[in-house]
Amino acid sequence: MIELHGLTKRYGDKLAVDSLSFQVPKGVVTGFLGPNGAGKSTTMRLILDLDRPTSGSVTIDAKGYGVLKEPLKYIGALLEASASHPGRTARNHLLWLAQSNRIPLHRVDEVLALVGLTEVADKKARGFSLGMHQRLGIASALLGDPEILMFDEPVNGLDPEGILWIRTLMKQLAAEGRTVFVSSHLMSEMALTAEHLVVIGKGRLLADLPMAEFIARNSRSSVRLRTPHPEQLLDALAAESIPVEPGPQGSFEVAGGDPARLGELAAARGITLHELSPQHASLEEAFMRMTADAVEYHAGPEGAAGQAEEHGTAAAPGGWGTDWRRTRKGAN
Amino acid sequence: MAMASFPAILRSEWTKIRTVRSTVWTLLLSFLVTAALGALLSLLTKNNFADFRRGALTPFDATATSFAGIMLGEIAMVVFGVLAIGNEYSSGMIRVSLAAVPQRGTLLTGKLVVIGVLALAVSLVTAFVTFFLGQALLGVHRTTLGAPNVLRAVLGAAVYLTLLCLFSAGVTAMLHNQTLALGVLVPFFFLLSPILSAVPRVKTVAHYFPDYAGRQMLTVFQEPSAPYGWLAGFFLCGAWTLAAMTGGAAVFKSRDA
């Protein structure tokens, strides 16, 4: 189990990760969500002891990563797609990795087959597509047959076929009893694969809950009704004691309503309906609302974030968070 | 504290080096340039011996003559040292390496051992081949391994190339950037140091640079202008190398990857 205790990372005056504490539960897929620049990649680098925390700590099965002997047998990670030398073949890349952790060498061919790279095993990584790099990275992560797997934005830049492959793989890994910790900036992607959800924004923990709970809380459906005879409709609904709320543009909304029943009710009373439509709040919207609040909270009185809350977050998340990344790139 | 297996790290680092062709080529280049240029200059010296030796104050150093090509061959060795460390930074592979071996000191030590042993092996072959080739072409002016100080000078040439390679590897770890390391080290060894060591006054400083110091190891007869002998040269060059590797280790251990 991965545990974060008050993990904090500061680059210069930018707080990339702000006292994060959560646990990644064993044996399930945990989605690690946040807008671009929320601190997901930094958190993952901190877990692997690649970056040193400003304060706080991370443990893997109660041990720090730095003291793990042959860590690839505990935890396999895909951090970025093209982290192999362009002049080295896929097989040789996996070979040195296997040797460093005394992993049996037959695993090299096994993971190559598993990710579908057998045919290009002896080709140099220079000629690989993004998808092939991603597969090689996943092969590296799986090499030591680890209990814990960590993927940073694994579907980024992949074609639909590749995305489906990764989804299936993650579910399969969890079904084998492994812990899968996967980051994404897409709620829709996580809703399909993750059982548990950790959401961060601006380096802070926003939510840590089972996916089912998040869905139950955020995906309430309703039925929208529009009529030229609102009084008759409200009477009819009141007679059946169906609670109703005013909707946009003079419409009415019945939370959790059944469109068939409402339609029959209106017909029975001869009420003309101009609209009878089921409404679903999307998880993506719920996620954006959640992270937009974080923007507002941190941006303070400057105002830009206030709009984001009203109109979704289409503009805001691109802006914030990119800042510290830029400074970090500058530092490199 | 649990430690990764050191032999496993050595095996892994050896695989890393031998599976990237460009890195291996720099070693081959170092050998070819040192031997070929030494042979050429030995031949020229034999054919123009009287001209070359007019007014010479020291006895003719047949060993140093055969190693004249080392001034260029060492550049390839420097590039090897840079690439062997630096290509992990340029490719982003360093994060994969550190995730596999989080004990950073052990990982860097493993790297330097493999780089050093390989550089020494190639340098020994280079030194002996260059020596025998040069002597064969010097004809009557040749010397033999049995002559005083000659074996020491030939071994000194191999040690010199190895130390320069490790020095470059250490500097690259300090700069953690391959392009920057090449941009600093190659002009330094190729231009700056040779030029400075010929400029009056400045040269007293340049005489303490690692390459000038190390090259004293491969002279049989100490030049009158040299401020110290081969043994001091060895220690000075070795100290530079140790300092670069220590500095590299300090940066490597403390820095975010």
Side-chain angles (χ1 to χ4, degrees), chain A residues 25-199:
Chain A
K26 260 183 150 71
V28 298
V29 178
T30 296
F32 188 32
L33 238 79
N36 286 329
K40 305 187 295 294
S41 298
T42 304
T43 305
M44 287 188 160
R45 280 201 304 272
L46 290 165
I47 291 173
L48 295 178
D49 201 31
L50 295 173
D51 286 14
R52 270 55 193 280
T54 307
S55 63
S57 64
V58 185
T59 54
I60 293 145
D61 294 337
K63 279 176 282 202
Y65 193 88
V67 300
L68 289 180
K69 190 189 176 196
E70 296 166 356
L72 300 184
K73 294 174 180 172
Y74 287 88
I75 173 166
L78 165 79
L79 285 192
E80 58 209 305
S82 60
S84 54
H85 191 283
R88 193 177 280 126
T89 65
R91 176 175 279 122
N92 283 333
H93 179 72
L94 295 170
L95 175 62
W96 74 255
L97 262 177
Q99 287 171 329
S100 72
N101 276 238
R102 294 192 296 183
I103 294 162
L105 298 186
H106 63 83
R107 281 293 295 165
V108 171
D109 284 318
E110 284 174 24
V111 293
L112 280 168
L114 190 63
V115 303
L117 285 180
T118 305
E119 277 177 33
V120 294
D122 294 312
K123 294 262 192 312
K124 287 179 181 166
R126 184 176 288 127
F128 281 15
S129 66
L130 181 58
M132 287 155 90
H133 275 301
Q134 206 76 307
R135 282 166 191 260
L136 180 56
I138 289 169
S140 313
L142 296 173
L143 191 61
D145 199 15
E147 276 300 297
I148 306 171
L149 286 144
M150 199 160 81
F151 300 126
D152 192 8
E153 301 268 5
V155 301
N156 255 13
L158 289 189
D159 55 15
E161 193 196 349
I163 292 174
L164 185 65
W165 176 73
I166 291 207
R167 252 182 229 158
T168 315
L169 178 74
M170 286 192 298
K171 283 182 178 164
Q172 183 195 326
L173 291 167
E176 291 166 5
R178 294 177 215 264
T179 302
V180 181
F181 187 48
V182 54
S183 78
S184 177
H185 60 280
L186 296 174
M187 183 69 221
S188 49
E189 185 57 40
M190 285 301 95
L192 290 168
T193 39
E195 269 183 62
H196 194 85
L197 192 63
V198 172
V199 183

Side-chain angles (χ1 to χ4, degrees), chain B residues 217-229:
Chain B
M217 284 187 277
L218 41 100
T219 56
V220 170
F221 305 107
Q222 188 179 334
E223 284 175 40
S225 62
Y228 48 78

Side-chain angles (χ1 to χ4, degrees), chain B:
Chain B
M1 193 171 94
M3 290 297 277
S5 151
F6 196 62
I9 292 172
L10 291 180
R11 209 169 299 128
S12 159
E13 290 301 322
W14 166 238
T15 301
K16 277 186 195 170
I17 285 199
R18 72 175 173 81
T19 54
V20 173
R21 215 179 288 162
S22 57
T23 317
V24 180
W25 277 355
T26 56
L27 284 173
L28 189 67
L29 198 65
S30 170
F31 166 77
L32 286 176
V33 169
T34 308
L37 215 56
L40 186 68
L41 282 155
S42 298
L43 195 63
L44 280 172
T45 306
K46 188 192 83 173
N47 292 340
N48 305 281
F49 195 77
D51 287 346
F52 281 21
R53 295 296 298 158
R54 192 163 297 140
L57 300 170
T58 49
F60 174 63
D61 194 337
T63 314
T65 303
S66 59
F67 283 125
I70 213 162
M71 301 278 278
L72 268 179
E74 72 185 35
I75 303 295
M77 200 48 110
V78 164
V79 173
F80 168 71
V82 172
L83 294 185
I85 296 279
N87 67 27
E88 294 227 9
Y89 293 101
S90 61
S91 62
M93 205 177 88
I94 188 73
R95 300 204 181 103
V96 183
S97 290
L98 286 173
V101 185
Q103 295 81 22
R104 296 186 178 196
T106 317
L107 178 65
L108 187 64
T109 307
K111 271 187 185 306
L112 292 172
V113 166
V114 170
I115 292 169
V117 167
L118 185 57
L120 184 63
V122 172
S123 300
L124 279 170
V125 173
T126 304
F128 280 98
V129 169
T130 304
F131 174 78
F132 286 119
L133 194 61
Q135 301 316 311
L137 293 167
L138 276 169
V140 291
H141 309 294
R142 69 170 164 265
T143 184
T144 60
L145 274 185
N149 288 325
V150 171
L151 180 61
R152 184 266 299 156
V154 175
L155 292 174
V159 171
Y160 169 63
L161 287 175
T162 308
L163 288 180
L164 224 52
C165 169
L166 287 172
F167 173 81
S168 307
V171 170
T172 309
M174 266 197 274
L175 299 175
H176 48 81
N177 182 320
Q178 174 170 289
T179 318
L180 183 63
L182 282 176
V184 168
L185 290 170
V186 172
F188 178 81
F189 286 121
F190 189 61
L191 291 172
L192 207 61
S193 178
I195 290 172
L196 291 183
S197 58
V199 176
R201 284 201 208 161
V202 180
K203 71 179 177 190
T204 50
V205 179
H207 284 173
Y208 294 90
F209 287 167
D211 53 338
Y212 185 91
R215 231 177 280 125
Q216 304 313 308
M217 284 187 277
L218 41 100
T219 56
V220 170
F221 305 107
Q222 188 179 334
E223 284 175 40
S225 62
Y228 48 78
W230 71 270
L231 194 59
F234 165 73
F235 281 117
L236 197 52
C237 187
W240 275 105
T241 306
L242 206 60
M245 293 195 298
T246 311
V251 173
F252 194 71
K253 280 194 212 171
S254 61
R255 196 178 168 272
D256 287 344

Side-chain angles (χ1 to χ4, degrees), chain A residues 299-313:
Chain A
E302 280 155 37
Q307 295 177 326
E309 199 202 15
E310 275 307 309
H311 306 293
T313 54

